[in-house]
Amino acid sequence: MANAPLLSVKRVAKFFGSKLVFKEVSCDVVPGEILLVAGHNGAGKSTLMRIMAGLSKPSAGEVSLNVEPEDSAYLGHATFIYPGLSALENLKFWGSMYGLSPSREKLIELLKRVGLERAAEEKAGSFSRGMAQRLNLARIYLVEPKLIFLDEPGTGLDPRSLAKLRSEITGLRDKGVSVIWISHQVADDTKLADKVLALGGRKVEYFGPASEYVVEATC
């Protein structure tokens, strides 16, 4: 089925010890859909995303990730770049982890896509936070996944880079890629999303069309 969910979350709950983070979280994500995850700091957004991505187990409920591991990608708060390698070398190494052998021209094009072509030969350890984040985005573009998890991808980006990121995200949707996206700039980013899942009060406060979400409710 063309619209079968790539991700299905059913009545998921998470505890850390005796502390409840959230409960009764349910949602589906279909191909070519952007889901924005919103909520106050400490609401459990990053924890939920890690559960969705299969990087953490829920305390209760079920998560069905209906893509192969190589068809999903996760960008968290850590960039996972190798400081002793250049930007090009980082991308080449990441590609090898996926069994890819991209040409130098392909790698340069990816760096150009994130505005790092002039830093291609520079050691990543000298990069600013924003540059490191952009290199990590290039890693995700390299593997061309069907489902992407982005945990505050705009962190450290200047306004121009942030605008480019938003354009890239909507472009991915146009190609049928699904994006699950945590953002603190919800007022702006809701406009780009198809659905919003808002956490608050240890539960889902809203899940539905982005066009009907009232930002002030949780952010």
Side-chain angles (χ1 to χ4, degrees):
M1 293 178 62
N3 290 323
L6 297 182
L7 173 72
S8 183
V9 177
K10 297 181 180 178
R11 303 185 69 180
V12 160
K14 183 65 177 182
F15 286 86
F16 288 126
S18 61
K19 180 183 178 182
L20 174 65
V21 182
F22 48 70
K23 64 179 180 179
E24 297 292 327
V25 177
S26 298
C27 68
D28 289 333
V29 177
V30 299
E33 186 171 66
I34 297 176
L35 172 66
L36 190 71
V37 181
H40 293 298
N41 288 336
K45 302 185 295 297
S46 295
T47 298
L48 177 60
M49 178 169 281
R50 288 182 60 81
I51 291 172
M52 288 176 164
L55 301 175
S56 180
K57 293 184 178 180
S59 302
E62 299 180 1
V63 176
S64 297
L65 193 57
N66 301 315
V67 296
E68 297 298 323
E70 62 269 22
D71 287 329
S72 67
Y74 175 90
L75 187 154
H77 294 165
T79 58
F80 296 110
I81 65 172
Y82 293 88
L85 300 180
S86 69
L88 274 175
E89 290 167 340
N90 267 280
L91 286 181
K92 184 176 181 179
F93 174 75
W94 285 325
S96 70
M97 295 296 96
Y98 283 83
L100 303 174
S101 300
S103 66
R104 178 183 173 87
E105 290 73 20
K106 170 70 172 179
L107 298 181
I108 292 292
E109 184 60 32
L110 286 169
L111 291 174
K112 185 176 181 180
R113 189 171 167 183
V114 297
L116 288 177
E117 68 274 20
R118 293 183 179 179
E121 303 287 356
E122 293 181 18
K123 299 296 185 184
S126 68
F127 285 5
S128 67
R129 169 66 183 177
M131 292 174 69
Q133 190 77 334
R134 283 186 279 154
L135 179 56
N136 214 28
L137 285 167
R139 170 180 64 86
I140 287 179
Y141 300 152
L142 171 64
V143 301
E144 299 182 348
K146 297 177 181 177
L147 178 61
I148 299 176
F149 300 89
L150 301 176
D151 191 347
E152 299 180 23
T155 300
L157 299 187
D158 57 63
R160 182 178 178 180
S161 297
L162 185 57
K164 187 172 181 61
L165 169 65
R166 288 170 171 153
S167 177
E168 288 282 356
I169 289 174
T170 55
L172 289 167
R173 174 177 57 194
D174 293 342
K175 295 177 181 178
V177 178
S178 298
V179 180
I180 301 175
W181 179 12
I182 295 175
S183 170
H184 279 307
Q185 297 176 307
V186 178
D188 292 325
D189 294 338
T190 296
K191 302 170 186 176
L192 307 179
D194 299 296
K195 292 179 181 177
V196 172
L197 188 154
L199 294 175
R202 301 186 180 89
K203 60 183 178 61
V204 175
E205 289 190 333
Y206 178 86
F207 175 62
S211 60
E212 298 178 12
Y213 177 61
V214 179
V215 175
E216 291 77 13
T218 59
C219 300

